């Protein structure tokens, strides 16, 4: 190996030693070792059973370690220097753990479905698979060039039919399951049907046709009741419909001003029938199990906030033979409720809206419309143009219209006008609120705008200056003939009024969540097809049926046009026409699903790109299995709980904080369903999770405020110029949008992969953001050159290591470095590890100058310390030191405790309790030796001269105190 690299060394430049570790030599070494790793399968991780089990006997007695990154979307831009931060962090950790005696699984795959590839296909007419696979190949080459130790036999993309077959299979499992609230877990839907047939369970409230029993229902009616219980279900729900793109968008794809993030088209909130996932059934488990995870507190809090658990009461406000149900966390303020507000999309709006305005209606309540119906329709349209983020914005002007009806306050008997207003959302609570303007700032603003009364129910302090009072205090104005809350504190008042609501049938105590069911349909081509069909005719026409497992995967058909049908930007009443709906030969199919051949229609929506990323970690364990999504024995080995109470999961998961909520929440939900159904032994997918920091760099904007390529900006006379024109400099996260990208290819081409790796890892702990400074990379290059010189003579190319004993100072420097590097590796503070390697290298450079031998034990230990960080260099030096095996499997050094103890310690010397001197004594000095050393000190001797020492207190290793007259 070393000869191969040496034979291709370029002739040295003037003054450069012939065997110096230069970027050119680094390139040769790195490419040669990468080829050897691939040829020898150095990083092939053996499974305990199955087709990848070869070599397991070599690691059977090792503890396992499963590490992985959030896998990348293969965009055409490839990786910039910010992307490898996490990838290198897991790679360094993986290499360290392997050397430290673990069986390490470190895979990588590609999250390849999604809108960018589809948009490119729309523009070019080229199938999205072609561009996606080309991008995957490019990124794979970049990762290989970085020297990462992925087991490439386990690599796959979510677009592979052999992968999305099992994504569809998992969807079937969720579709064929329901959440049993009594058991607190998912169960097969067949068990629900058995219990309903037996009469041992009643259908969930609201699922039966009014006035009918289960026994009275037809087969199709029973199917509809059962479908209403499923974890994956069809539902008409308000969605973000973008006519200009022809698709439904997630909340995250809509800007604050109600436009699409991609293309800046208007977005409308409107009801559409879509596939939903009943993630809300798992809200409490998703919340409480956070405490069992090794995640950062900030990340857990983000999920807690997203789930949004609230305890309070449901209160019913009767009107016109109906009732409006409201959830409130402050039922104690019910005496202060002076009006109700429904979300514009609330299902009761249409039935409650009056035919005409009552006489004397306040003009502010009508929005200038002739009838309530006209006002409501116009306002609903207006609200549909606003994103939920915008509707919830602080300080936004409050708008709304009256429905022309009133509801009765169950405590006061007062008639409360019922409004619709866009600051109320359908997804939280019941989609309706009781407005208490005295104690809620948003309600106060609305009341002021519409001239509505304010009743305070909490006593403000004397210095309160008006507006809504949101603080604490005794209850006031809160009594009637049946109930008095006056004088009570908040907690006591909530308990008392809730008890009254339950006793009178006006409400009940309840818990609700901000979390909403997961909208799972996309009107796109480039996604997983649903494994669902609908009967074309018959009593069950239009009801969903999951295709049998034997028919999976349901493959994407080829189409001529990859884009959904688009409409005029403002055509809010248009309906989605997905690309698959035009594949007529595919959409209609004749199947025998147990009752003879029938004609069915396929689902023409596709799954969101989140689907494939919900479970990919499991497929890494068993990527070639055609019989099941993962072998149970492999899941138990790699992900099973370590001891009772442990949630199991991936041992280290690294990725960006931008995925802190959705991806992680969705994956946790899917995993819990799989656990409930007995498919996995782990309760959670990711035991430990770390968010890597961002890398930032200078960016530049021109006079128009547009970003210009940072690489083309020059500094001249204190100014920054782009094409001769001055530009403004700012600082921001590296990426395409700021045009300040630096690619690893550039850095590797200039310095080599190992230098790039060491520089990225040296700039701070993995979880902290850091600046990028290209000029500083040379410092990492010089460190690796010094490491090389410790082992290799630059003039002759000979190995300098010799079988000589290191002196005590060198042994102490070595073992302290080993201890510190180990600590840096285990805590993901690779910058600390590099700093200690630098100190050891500097010591050896001065202690063993050129021409003198380096103790072999020290040289080899240095190479082993460097190996996880600069693996190619370490492999080359390990080979030159006479080893035939890869350094990747060599044992990581362990510090000898005797060299971690100081020879001497500084001890404080006191006279009558006041420190007078510090003396150096042997670390093991006893009390007598301490006293002798203290008396010998000139300062102490002067303090004791002519005085009587009554007592001497000597504490070994700490202090000596002379008590004198």
């Amino acid at each position: 190996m070393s000869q191969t690299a040496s034979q291709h060394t370029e002739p040295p430049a003037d003054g450069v030693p012939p065997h110096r570790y230069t970027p050119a030599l680094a390139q040769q070494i790195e490419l040669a070792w990468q080829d050897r790793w691939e040829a020898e399968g150095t990083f092939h991780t053996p499974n305990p059973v199955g087709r990848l089990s070869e070599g397991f006997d070599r690691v059977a007695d090792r503890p396992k370690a499963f590490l992985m990154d959030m896998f990348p979307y293969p965009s055409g831009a490839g990786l910039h220097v910010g992307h490898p931060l996490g990838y290198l962090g897991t790679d360094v950790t993986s290499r360290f753990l392997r050397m430290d005696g673990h069986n390490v699984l470190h895979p990588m795959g590609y999250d390849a479905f999604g809108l960018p590839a589809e948009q490119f296909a729309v523009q070019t007419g080229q199938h999205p698979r072609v561009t996606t696979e080309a991008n995957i190949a490019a990124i794979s080459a970049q990762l290989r060039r970085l020297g990462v130790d992925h087991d490439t036999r386990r690599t796959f993309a979510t677009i592979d039919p052999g992968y999305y077959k099992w994504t569809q299979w998992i969807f079937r499992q969720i579709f064929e399951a329901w959440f049993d609230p009594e058991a607190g877990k998912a169960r097969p839907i067949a068990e629900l049907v058995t219990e309903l047939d037996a009469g041992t369970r009643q259908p969930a409230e609201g699922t039966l046709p009014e006035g009918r029993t289960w026994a009275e229902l037809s087969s199709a009616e029973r199917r509809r009741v059962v479908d209403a219980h499923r974890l994956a279900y069809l539902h008409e729900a308000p969605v973000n419909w973008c006519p200009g793109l022809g698709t439904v968008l997630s909340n995250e794809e809509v800007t604050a001003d109600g436009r699409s993030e991609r293309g800046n088209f208007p977005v409308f909130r409107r009801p559409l029938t879509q596939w939903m996932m009943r993630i809300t059934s798992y809200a409490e488990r998703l919340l409480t199990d956070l405490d069992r995870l090794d995640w950062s507190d900030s990340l857990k809090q983000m999920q807690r906030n997203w789930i949004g658990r609230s305890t309070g009461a449901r209160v019913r406000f009767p009107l016109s033979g109906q009732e409006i149900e409201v959830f409130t966390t402050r039922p104690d303020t019910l005496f202060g409720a002076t009006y109700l507000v429904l979300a514009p999309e609330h299902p009761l709006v249409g039935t409650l809206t009056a035919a005409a305005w009552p006489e004397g209606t306040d003009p502010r309540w009508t929005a200038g419309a002739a009838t309530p119906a006209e006002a409501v329709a116009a306002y609903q349209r207006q609200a549909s143009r606003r994103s939920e983020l915008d509707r919830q914005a602080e300080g936004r002007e409050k708008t709304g219209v009256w429905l022309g009806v009133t509801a009765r306050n169950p405590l006061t008997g007062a008639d409360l006008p019922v409004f619709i207003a866009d600051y109320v959302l359908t997804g939280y609570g019941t989609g309706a609120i009781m407005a208490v303007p005295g104690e809620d700032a948003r309600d106060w603003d609305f009341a002021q705008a519409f001239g509505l009364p304010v009743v305070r129910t909490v006593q403000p302090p004397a210095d309160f200056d008006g507006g809504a009072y949101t603080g604490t205090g005794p209850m006031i104005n809160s009594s009637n003939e049946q109930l008095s809350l006056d004088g009570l504190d908040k907690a006591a008042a909530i308990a008392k009024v809730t008890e009254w609501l339950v006793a009178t049938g006006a409400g009940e105590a309840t818990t609700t969540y901000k979390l909403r069911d997961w909208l799972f349909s996309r009107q796109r081509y480039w996604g997983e097809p649903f494994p669902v069909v609908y009967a074309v005719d018959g009593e069950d026409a239009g009801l969903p049926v999951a295709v049998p497992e034997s028919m999976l995967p349901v493959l994407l058909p080829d189409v001529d046009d990859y884009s959904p049908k688009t409409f005029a930007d403002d055509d809010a009443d248009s309906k989605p026409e997905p690309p698959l709906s035009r594949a007529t030969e595919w959409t209609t199919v004749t199947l025998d699903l147990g009752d003879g051949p029938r004609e069915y229609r396929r689902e023409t929506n596709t799954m969101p790109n989140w689907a494939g990323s919900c479970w990919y970690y499991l497929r890494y364990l068993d990527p070639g299995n055609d019989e099941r999504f993962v072998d149970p024995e492999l899941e138990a080995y790699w992900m099973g709980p370590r001891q009772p109470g442990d949630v199991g999961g991936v041992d280290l998961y690294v990725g960006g904080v931008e995925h802190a909520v959705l991806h992680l929440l969705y994956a946790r939900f899917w995993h819990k369903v799989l656990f409930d159904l007995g498919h996995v032994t782990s309760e959670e997918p990711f035991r430990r999770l770390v968010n890597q920091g961002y890398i930032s760099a200078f960016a530049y904007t021109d006079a128009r405020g547009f970003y210009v390529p940072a690489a083309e900006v020059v500094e001249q006379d204190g100014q920054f110029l782009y094409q001769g024109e001055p530009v403004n400099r700012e600082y921001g996260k590296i990426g395409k949008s700021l045009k300040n990208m630096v690619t690893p290819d550039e850095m590797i081409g200039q310095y080599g992969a190992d230098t790039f790796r060491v520089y990225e890892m040296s700039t701070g702990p993995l979880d902290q953001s850091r600046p990028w400074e290209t000029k500083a990379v040379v410092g990492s290059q010089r460190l690796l050159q010094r490491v090389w010189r410790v082992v290799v003579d630059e003039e002759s190319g000979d190995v300098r290591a010799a079988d000589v004993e290191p002196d005590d100072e060198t042994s102490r420097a070595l073992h302290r470095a080993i201890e510190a590097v180990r600590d840096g590796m285990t805590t993901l503070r690779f910058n600390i590890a590099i700093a200690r390697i630098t100190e050891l290298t500097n010591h050896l450079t001065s202690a063993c100058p050129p021409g003198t031998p380096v103790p072999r034990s020290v040289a080899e230990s240095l190479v082993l310390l460097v190996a996880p960080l600069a693996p190619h260099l370490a492999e080359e030096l390990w080979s030159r030191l006479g080893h035939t095996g890869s350094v990747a499997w060599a044992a990581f050094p362990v510090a000898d405790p005797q060299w971690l103890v100081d020879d001497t310690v500084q001890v404080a010397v006191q006279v009558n309790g006041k420190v007078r001197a510090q003396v150096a004594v042997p670390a093991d000095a006893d009390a007598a030796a301490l006293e002798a050393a203290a008396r010998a000190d000139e300062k102490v001797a002067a303090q004791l001269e002519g005085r009587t020492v009554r007592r001497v207190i000597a504490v070994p290793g700490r202090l000596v105190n002379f008590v004198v007259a």
Side-chain angles (χ1 to χ4, degrees):
M1 186 69 204
S2 58
Q3 291 179 346
T4 301
S6 300
Q7 288 169 356
H8 292 87
T9 303
E10 297 294 329
D14 291 343
V16 177
H19 296 280
R20 172 162 292 179
Y21 179 74
T22 62
L25 180 58
Q27 304 275 357
Q28 295 162 15
I29 289 172
E30 290 164 4
L31 293 172
W33 276 103
Q34 288 161 12
D35 289 343
R36 178 169 166 180
W37 290 337
E38 183 175 344
E40 297 182 356
T42 302
F43 306 120
H44 289 178
T45 300
N47 279 337
V49 295
R51 70 180 189 88
L52 299 182
S53 61
E54 182 181 355
F56 185 73
D57 55 339
R58 182 176 63 164
V59 298
D61 60 344
R62 292 177 169 225
K64 63 88 183 179
F66 182 10
L67 299 79
M68 55 178 276
D69 301 271
M70 293 184 186
F71 64 174
Y73 180 82
S75 74
L79 304 178
H80 60 65
V81 295
H83 292 122
L85 183 61
Y87 306 156
L88 293 179
T90 54
D91 184 66
V92 172
T93 303
S94 168
R95 289 174 176 276
F96 165 71
L97 290 174
R98 184 183 295 107
M99 295 175 71
D100 205 36
H102 289 72
N103 184 26
V104 180
L105 176 56
H106 184 211
M108 176 61 83
Y110 297 92
D111 188 11
F113 277 124
L115 191 56
E118 182 174 286
Q119 290 290 96
F120 189 76
V122 170
Q123 296 165 12
T124 64
Q126 186 177 59
H127 196 288
R129 179 176 291 279
V130 175
T131 52
T132 301
E133 290 181 344
N135 294 341
I136 289 173
I139 295 177
S140 296
Q142 286 181 299
L143 291 172
R144 184 184 193 273
R145 190 63 191 86
L146 283 167
V148 292
D149 67 348
H150 296 146
D151 182 349
T152 53
R153 301 173 303 166
R154 300 173 185 261
T155 297
F156 56 80
T158 55
I159 62 174
D160 299 340
Y163 178 80
Y164 72 72
K165 165 186 176 178
W166 297 107
T167 306
Q168 293 170 341
W169 180 88
I170 295 173
F171 176 87
R172 284 190 84 263
Q173 301 302 305
I174 299 172
F175 176 76
E176 297 290 358
W178 65 295
F179 189 85
D180 182 349
E182 296 174 9
K185 58 179 285 187
R187 294 174 55 198
I189 203 78
E191 295 179 6
L192 171 65
V193 175
T194 299
E195 294 178 10
L196 291 174
D197 287 343
T200 57
R201 182 180 295 274
Q202 295 302 311
E205 184 179 352
T207 59
L208 275 176
E210 189 172 354
R212 308 276 300 281
T213 66
W214 172 260
E216 297 171 330
L217 302 182
S218 68
S219 174
E221 289 173 327
R222 290 186 177 191
R223 288 249 328 255
R224 291 185 176 90
V225 171
V226 170
D227 286 351
H229 289 76
R230 296 181 188 273
L231 285 177
Y233 64 100
L234 285 169
H235 179 61
E236 184 177 83
V239 296
N240 299 310
W241 168 238
C242 181
L245 288 176
T247 188
V248 170
L249 302 176
S250 68
N251 288 336
E252 294 70 37
E253 295 167 323
V254 182
T255 64
D257 59 350
R259 305 183 75 85
S260 63
E261 190 175 52
R262 182 177 294 274
N264 198 37
F265 294 105
V267 174
F268 303 89
R269 293 285 291 175
R270 58 159 298 173
L272 289 173
T273 299
Q274 305 280 287
W275 279 101
M276 308 289 288
M277 289 275 183
R278 210 178 298 274
I279 190 174
T280 50
S281 296
Y282 282 80
E284 190 62 28
R285 279 171 62 184
L286 290 168
L287 189 66
T288 57
D289 283 351
L290 285 170
D291 294 332
R292 304 167 66 193
L293 297 174
D294 184 8
W295 295 11
S296 69
D297 290 340
S298 60
L299 189 61
K300 291 180 182 179
Q301 192 58 46
M302 290 174 73
Q303 290 219 348
R304 290 189 185 102
N305 292 342
W306 191 267
I307 296 169
R309 185 181 194 272
S310 299
T311 57
R314 286 180 181 264
V315 184
R316 288 180 279 275
F317 294 79
L319 76 167
S320 305
Q322 301 187 70
E323 58 185 19
I324 297 174
E325 191 171 72
V326 164
F327 170 78
T328 176
T329 59
R330 295 293 305 275
D332 56 309
T333 63
L334 183 55
F335 282 99
T338 57
Y339 61 98
L340 299 182
V341 183
L342 307 184
E345 307 87 356
H346 196 289
L348 285 179
V349 170
T351 59
L352 294 181
T353 302
W357 299 118
E359 187 176 347
T361 296
D362 190 323
R364 289 174 292 184
W365 298 11
T366 69
T371 66
E374 291 177 21
V376 166
Y379 190 80
Q380 287 178 322
R381 183 175 180 82
Q382 173 188 323
S384 75
R385 293 174 176 266
R386 297 190 179 278
S387 70
E388 293 192 357
L389 187 64
D390 183 32
R391 286 166 60 169
Q392 293 286 287
E394 290 290 333
R396 206 176 138 262
E397 180 186 359
K398 296 297 179 288
T399 60
V401 294
W402 184 37
L403 298 184
V405 296
T406 60
R408 184 170 55 82
N409 186 324
L411 264 180
T412 66
D415 289 331
L416 310 183
V418 182
F419 291 81
I420 59 171
D422 63 8
Y423 77 93
V424 177
L425 305 178
T426 55
Y428 179 68
T430 64
I433 67 164
M434 64 176 208
V436 185
E439 278 81 48
D440 184 280
R442 295 184 308 163
D443 295 346
W444 171 275
D445 292 342
F446 191 91
Q448 298 305 299
F450 287 82
L452 292 159
V454 176
V455 176
R456 296 195 184 279
T457 59
V458 178
Q459 178 66 60
D463 59 352
F464 179 62
D465 58 2
Y469 176 63
T470 58
T472 59
M475 303 301 296
I476 58 173
N477 302 323
S478 299
S479 63
N480 61 21
E481 293 181 357
Q482 301 171 307
L483 177 71
S484 176
L485 307 179
D486 289 340
L488 298 180
D489 63 18
K490 174 181 172 182
I494 288 176
K496 191 169 183 179
V497 74
T498 302
E499 182 181 354
W500 183 89
L501 289 169
V502 172
T504 59
E508 59 270 331
T510 189
T511 299
T512 192
Y513 302 87
K514 188 170 65 176
L515 179 69
R516 307 168 200 185
D517 278 348
W518 176 11
L519 174 64
F520 202 68
S521 296
R522 294 294 184 273
Q523 293 69 47
R524 295 173 182 160
Y525 169 74
W526 197 228
E528 297 93 340
F530 282 89
V532 169
V533 293
Y534 308 86
V536 172
D537 51 31
E539 185 186 17
D540 60 348
L543 297 181
V545 183
V547 301
E549 293 181 20
S550 60
M551 294 184 182
L552 301 181
V554 177
L555 297 173
L556 270 176
D558 289 329
V559 297
D560 296 327
D561 185 358
Y562 303 109
S563 58
K565 181 178 179 180
T566 58
F567 303 88
D569 293 2
D570 60 352
D571 188 359
D573 297 326
S574 53
K575 294 182 179 180
E577 294 185 24
L580 291 181
S581 66
R582 296 192 292 271
T584 53
E585 293 185 3
W586 179 85
T587 55
T588 303
V589 60
T590 300
L591 300 172
D592 186 349
L593 301 182
D595 53 356
R598 294 182 64 187
E599 189 173 296
Y600 291 90
R601 172 180 56 84
R602 293 192 188 275
E603 172 63 68
T604 57
N605 288 318
T606 54
M607 300 186 199
N609 63 301
W610 303 106
S613 62
C614 271
W615 74 281
Y616 71 110
Y617 53 93
L618 290 166
R619 195 60 176 172
Y620 283 144
L621 312 181
D622 198 10
N625 195 332
D626 293 328
E627 303 300 320
R628 53 183 65 189
F629 78 116
V630 64
D631 186 308
E633 190 171 343
L634 297 183
E635 187 277 332
Y637 173 78
W638 286 112
M639 295 193 60
R642 296 169 177 168
Q643 63 273 328
D646 177 31
V647 294
V650 175
D651 296 297
L652 176 62
Y653 191 35
V654 174
V657 72
E658 64 271 19
H659 298 297
V661 175
L662 297 184
H663 158 59
L664 293 175
L665 210 56
Y666 295 157
R668 293 181 64 211
F669 163 54
W670 274 35
H671 198 90
K672 287 182 181 298
V673 176
L674 292 172
F675 173 77
D676 287 353
L677 299 177
H679 297 303
V680 295
T681 62
S682 43
E683 294 181 62
E684 287 276 346
F686 313 116
R687 172 189 281 110
R688 183 186 181 198
L689 186 143
V690 172
N691 295 127
Q692 85 271 16
Y694 293 125
I695 293 183
S696 298
F698 287 118
Y700 302 87
T701 55
D702 61 18
R704 302 167 300 170
F706 292 179
Y707 287 100
V708 301
E712 299 176 29
V713 173
V714 297
E715 185 176 0
Q716 182 177 318
D717 299 329
Q719 271 195 320
F720 299 99
L721 305 176
Y722 172 68
Q723 297 181 348
E725 296 295 325
V727 290
N728 298 312
R729 185 168 77 165
E730 60 183 59
Y731 206 63
K733 178 186 170 185
I734 281 183
K736 288 185 292 184
S737 61
L738 300 191
K739 294 189 177 182
N740 60 348
M741 283 179 58
V742 180
T743 69
D745 310 61
E746 298 172 50
M747 294 293 99
I748 292 171
Q750 190 171 352
Y751 296 100
D754 280 343
T755 293
F756 174 80
R757 290 170 60 105
V758 170
Y759 173 70
E760 280 227 337
M761 295 297 95
S762 70
T763 51
L766 184 63
D767 60 351
Q768 291 186 11
S769 296
R770 73 283 311 280
W772 176 269
E773 179 52 66
T774 299
K775 295 177 182 177
V777 178
V778 71
S780 298
Q781 180 191 30
R782 288 170 180 162
L783 169 61
L784 297 187
Q785 287 177 329
R786 291 197 299 276
V787 171
W788 176 271
R789 281 196 295 270
V790 168
V791 181
V792 177
D793 187 290
E794 286 188 326
E795 297 295 339
S796 66
D798 294 335
V799 172
R800 297 179 58 202
D803 294 325
V804 296
E805 289 296 318
D807 58 35
D808 288 357
E809 186 179 357
T810 297
S811 293
R812 187 171 293 108
L814 170 64
H815 289 278
R816 289 184 174 179
I818 292 172
E819 186 75 0
V821 171
R822 273 186 165 275
D823 179 67
M825 293 291 180
T826 55
T827 61
L828 309 183
R829 295 180 300 163
F830 307 118
N831 56 317
I832 299 298
I834 292 168
R836 298 301 171 260
I837 289 171
T838 302
E839 291 176 2
L840 175 60
T841 304
N842 291 344
H843 169 81
L844 294 175
T845 299
S846 59
C848 307
T852 62
V854 178
R856 175 174 292 276
S857 61
V858 179
E860 291 191 343
S861 294
L862 174 62
V863 172
L864 294 171
L865 294 179
V866 168
L869 295 153
H872 313 87
L873 171 68
E875 290 278 24
E876 182 72 12
L877 294 178
W878 193 245
S879 174
R880 293 189 180 216
L881 284 165
H883 300 278
T884 55
S886 170
V887 74
W889 287 89
F892 202 83
V894 178
D896 186 337
Q898 70 168 316
W899 297 110
L900 304 180
V901 179
D902 288 321
D903 281 347
T904 62
V905 294
Q906 293 289 322
V907 173
V909 181
Q910 300 175 342
V911 177
N912 288 344
K914 292 184 179 180
V915 176
R916 299 299 184 181
Q918 297 276 346
V919 296
V921 298
D924 58 354
D926 59 15
L930 285 183
E931 181 180 348
R935 288 181 179 276
D937 184 86
E938 292 182 2
K939 295 179 181 177
V940 176
Q943 288 288 323
L944 300 180
E945 186 177 357
R947 305 170 76 178
T948 301
V949 177
R950 293 180 173 176
R951 186 181 176 197
V952 178
I953 302 169
V955 181
R958 293 185 59 192
L959 61 83
V960 180
N961 183 26
F962 293 97
V963 180
V964 301

